Amino acid sequence: MYDPGQCPSANLSIPEGASGTIIPNNILNHSNSLALSKKNHSSSSWQYILSTDKGHLNHSVNPDAEQFYISDSGLTIKYAYEGLAGEYQLVHQQNGSCVLQFFLNIPVSGRRHDCAYAAVGLAIFLVLCFTVCICRKRKRRVNDITQLAGGLANGFLPPGSPEVQESSADPPRRENGNSFPHECNPETNAFLP
């Protein structure tokens, strides 16, 4: 089709989200019919994007083609995004000779990186908050169980436990210095008379 060594080449760069001319009018108006293709790196084949005919644009069904238009300065990208980056070639449709070959670089904006870092930071913060909350609940539960176990071992429940709520107007009766009016048989747990 053409000898890549004889085709003029260039490196172009358009920042992400910006617009920019990739092929000037002096090249577009030089020929009747030109075809722009992009190299598919997975198959190493050239994928047709669009064609121009005396400064008029003919889009293909390729979704990337909608991002190109003819401006006062030439073939222009409306909105640069990472998917447009890659190797392109412009050839004469009549004989397939190369007019221009270029690599388009789309530098990612700092704002996008800032948003990504903010999202990762927020996710880490939420995980830490969740972890702290779980740890505090477990610690409270362990403290409550420890306090309850200590109270039971000493023969009383901690204040505020529902089982201990006594009315100050009607204190429990005490006989023989015991907390209960009758003692229990340790073998049967029955009250002794």
Side-chain angles (χ1 to χ4, degrees):
M1 187 161 155
Y2 68 89
D3 180 3
Q6 295 180 357
C7 187
S9 62
N11 285 317
L12 305 175
S13 182
I14 300 173
E16 183 184 44
S19 65
T21 300
I22 56 170
I23 301 172
N25 272 332
N26 63 340
I27 294 177
L28 290 182
N29 296 331
H30 178 67
S31 175
N32 287 345
S33 186
L34 299 170
L36 180 67
S37 299
K38 182 180 178 186
K39 190 168 195 175
N40 183 334
H41 287 285
S42 60
S43 65
S44 293
S45 61
W46 291 95
Q47 185 177 9
Y48 172 75
I49 303 286
L50 54 84
S51 63
T52 64
D53 190 5
K54 294 183 181 178
H56 297 291
L57 195 60
N58 300 314
H59 287 105
S60 72
V61 293
N62 187 309
D64 289 342
E66 293 300 319
Q67 290 300 323
F68 297 89
Y69 70 101
I70 302 288
S71 69
D72 292 338
S73 55
L75 185 62
T76 303
I77 291 180
K78 295 177 188 176
Y79 180 86
Y81 59 91
E82 278 188 290
L84 293 177
E87 190 176 353
Y88 290 82
Q89 71 176 0
L90 187 67
V91 299
H92 288 284
Q93 285 193 350
Q94 292 84 0
N95 59 18
S97 63
C98 180
V99 176
L100 178 66
Q101 188 167 343
F102 61 92
F103 187 86
L104 178 61
N105 184 29
I106 311 287
V108 177
S109 68
R111 188 178 354 153
R112 181 170 165 193
H113 282 300
D114 292 345
C115 290
Y117 290 139
V120 170
L122 179 62
I124 291 170
F125 175 74
L126 291 174
V127 168
L128 288 174
C129 287
F130 180 74
T131 304
V132 167
C133 183
I134 294 294
C135 288
R136 283 186 179 174
K137 283 185 178 181
R138 283 187 182 166
K139 187 175 180 181
R140 276 191 215 129
R141 208 175 297 148
V142 168
N143 286 345
D144 289 348
I145 290 171
T146 304
Q147 188 178 10
L148 181 63
L152 291 175
N154 293 330
F156 63 89
L157 291 174
S161 297
E163 294 84 356
V164 178
Q165 309 238 345
E166 299 175 356
S167 168
S168 58
D170 188 22
R173 287 178 279 152
R174 301 185 190 274
E175 297 176 8
N176 301 329
N178 292 327
S179 301
F180 295 99
H182 302 284
E183 293 184 1
C184 289
N185 181 342
E187 293 177 9
T188 62
N189 286 334
F191 285 111
L192 294 175

